[in-house]
Amino acid sequence: MEDTGAAAAASGAPEAKAEDGGRAERPVAKALKVVAAVDASEESLHALSWALDNIVRCHPDAALVVVHAQHAVDHFVYPVAAHGIAYAPPLAVESMRKTQEENTRQILARALDMCKERQVDATAAIVEGDAKEAICQAVERMQAGLLVLGSRGLGKIKRAFLGSVSDYLSHHACCPVLVVKPTKGQAK
């Protein structure tokens, strides 16, 4: 067994003792994994900026993952007839897929540039499906310690009809969720 007491003493950390008077191994502190969900909105980029300035800066060992959720291309294919036949010309589906990939690339490039400007290493991840569920599953899979996302500042009526990704995630994500609201100047 390794002498963890000597390592603790060398680092200036107090030595942990077992009940029997022997030395106990100290648990290794796990680095904070921050997941920032981004989309094409300024609110999500504001949330990322806030997280970079107020969380990542205070936790230099934090790992940052920028996540973007995109709908599956078949999400855009609608039934043509009452008996459930769905059809989209292959060229239309391919065009939608390419457009979606380009939009995703631009969103993530903008977010990663923001990280690079602040000298923060970040990784990007694309998840597919409904944003609420896809982000929730990604956060669990990544074992995130914190999820950061923006809020569009919808009123109660719009939120009731449109739904709220931030509301859903604050109730269903497996980790703490930080919702960054827009500043008064940014609010709609």
Side-chain angles (χ1 to χ4, degrees), residues 14 21 80 82 86 162:
V80 176
L162 298 174

Side-chain angles (χ1 to χ4, degrees), residues 32-36 48 51-52 56 62-66 115 120-124:
L32 176 65
K33 182 176 277 187
V34 178
V35 174
L48 173 60
L52 288 166
V56 177
L64 177 63
V65 181
V66 178
C115 296
V120 172
D121 288 330
T123 57

Side-chain angles (χ1 to χ4, degrees), residues 66-82:
V66 178
V67 172
H68 175 70
Q70 67 182 18
H71 284 286
V73 174
D74 64 356
H75 173 79
F76 301 104
V77 178
Y78 299 101
V80 176

